[in-house]
């Protein structure tokens, strides 16, 4: 059973039109991450939550925001997507134990 | 600051040849190192973590703190090993971040 679920799998949005990607987890993990992975590149950490404590990476554009209303859900909001935001967006969780991170299948976002 | 360096973008070997994917890191604290694999059109999967000292699919990796390296090795490559391999570092003792290297594409030829 999938433990980290990302919706939708594929999203197409127009330049400048806000979009929200969602991630849910059934693991009750404290830490949730959002990564951006562009074609043929490594995943790049955008931000992460430790419970409700939000940690933004210094080079994450202001255009990218996140919400975590409860332990199970985390959202990535892109306020005004640009063509350069076309990428796979990965959500991951970690439970502060010796277990590894769990990744979702990702949402492939295309900005046209 | 955390940093992971994978110097090779592409490594091409023949089936049955030994493989070594290089990874060097920079971290001032006590790091935890991982290798993740991404097969074509599939999600990232954990392959190895240094604290487990396991051998998965014939791959091993040893943390060398003196050389700040965590190279991934396999004595005999198989075609199904062809994939993208990412070395990653976490600073669980300070920031809970997991930072990835730029990745190495392993191509195993028949």
């Amino acid at each position: 059973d999938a433990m980290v679920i990302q919706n939708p799998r594929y999203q197409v949005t127009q330049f400048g039109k806000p979009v929200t990607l969602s991630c849910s987890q059934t693991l009750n993990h404290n830490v949730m991450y959002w990564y951006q992975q562009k074609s043929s590149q490594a995943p790049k950490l955008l931000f992460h939550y430790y419970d409700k404590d939000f940690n933004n990476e210094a080079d994450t554009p202001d255009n990218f925001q996140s919400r975590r209303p409860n332990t199970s859900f985390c959202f990535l909001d892109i306020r005004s997507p640009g063509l350069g935001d076309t990428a796979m967006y990965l959500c991951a969780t970690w439970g502060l134990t010796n277990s590894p991170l769990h990744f979702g299948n990702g949402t492939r976002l295309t900005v046209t | 600051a955390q940093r992971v360096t994978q110097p090779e973008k592409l490594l091409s070997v023949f089936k049955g040849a030994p493989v070594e994917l290089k990874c060097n890191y920079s971290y001032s604290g006590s790091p935890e190192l991982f290798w993740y694999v991404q097969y074509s059109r599939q999600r990232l999967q954990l392959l190895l973590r240094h604290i487990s000292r396991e051998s998965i699919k014939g791959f091993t990796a040893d943390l060398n703190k003196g050389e700040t390296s965590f190279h991934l090795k396999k004595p005999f490559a198989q075609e199904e090993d062809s994939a993208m391999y990412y070395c990653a570092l976490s600073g669980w003792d300070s920031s809970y971040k997991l930072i990835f290297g730029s990745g190495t594409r392993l191509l195993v030829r028949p």
Side-chain angles (χ1 to χ4, degrees):
Chain A
D1 290 333
M3 294 174 284
V4 181
I5 301 165
Q6 291 188 243
N7 285 304
R9 286 293 304 276
Y10 303 93
Q11 175 76 56
V12 180
T13 192
Q14 292 178 330
F15 180 92
K17 187 173 181 183
V19 66
T20 294
L21 311 182
S22 76
C23 177
S24 64
Q25 55 138 335
T26 59
L27 299 160
N28 205 35
H29 281 176
N30 300 84
V31 191
M32 293 188 78
Y33 305 83
W34 278 106
Y35 287 88
Q36 179 193 62
Q37 186 177 24
K38 295 187 177 181
S39 181
S40 302
Q41 295 185 25
K44 177 179 177 297
L45 183 62
L46 295 172
F47 22 61
H48 70 281
Y49 280 92
Y50 175 31
D51 292 329
K52 283 194 172 287
D53 186 20
F54 176 70
N55 297 273
N56 197 33
E57 290 302 294
D59 56 355
T60 297
D62 293 339
N63 203 20
F64 288 77
Q65 304 284 317
S66 185
R67 296 171 283 136
R68 189 179 185 186
N70 53 54
T71 300
S72 301
F73 286 88
C74 196
F75 300 96
L76 170 61
D77 302 307
I78 308 177
R79 290 188 297 187
S80 182
L83 300 179
D85 297 329
T86 291
M88 177 73 87
Y89 290 87
L90 301 169
C91 175
T93 71
W94 184 56
L96 298 179
T97 65
N98 281 334
S99 64
L101 264 68
H102 290 266
F103 279 88
N105 270 329
T107 294
R108 186 171 295 280
L109 175 69
T110 302
V111 182
T112 61
Chain B
Q2 294 169 236
R3 180 174 291 175
V4 180
T5 303
Q6 292 180 253
E8 302 142 326
K9 283 193 172 182
L10 172 67
L11 183 62
S12 180
V13 302
F14 286 103
K15 177 182 172 181
V19 169
E20 182 178 66
L21 302 173
K22 291 185 169 27
C23 173
N24 289 89
Y25 67 90
S26 172
Y27 185 64
S28 56
S30 180
E32 185 171 357
L33 277 296
F34 305 81
W35 276 99
Y36 280 82
V37 60
Q38 192 168 32
Y39 300 102
S40 180
R41 298 184 182 180
Q42 293 188 27
R43 72 169 76 188
L44 272 169
Q45 303 173 38
L46 179 66
L47 183 63
L48 284 176
R49 58 194 305 187
H50 87 269
I51 63 170
S52 301
R53 295 183 172 270
E54 295 171 301
S55 173
I56 306 292
K57 299 184 180 183
F59 285 96
T60 59
D62 290 317
L63 179 62
N64 185 323
K65 291 187 177 180
E67 294 181 1
T68 60
S69 68
F70 189 56
H71 303 325
L72 183 68
K73 299 178 184 179
K74 184 169 183 176
F76 308 104
Q78 303 299 315
E79 289 179 68
E80 56 265 30
D81 295 330
S82 294
M84 199 70 184
Y85 291 81
Y86 294 100
C87 184
L89 176 151
S90 72
W92 302 141
D93 56 347
S94 64
S95 63
Y96 306 110
K97 289 186 189 182
L98 181 71
I99 302 298
F100 288 87
S102 55
T104 298
R105 181 169 298 282
L106 176 63
L107 178 61
V108 182
R109 299 181 178 182

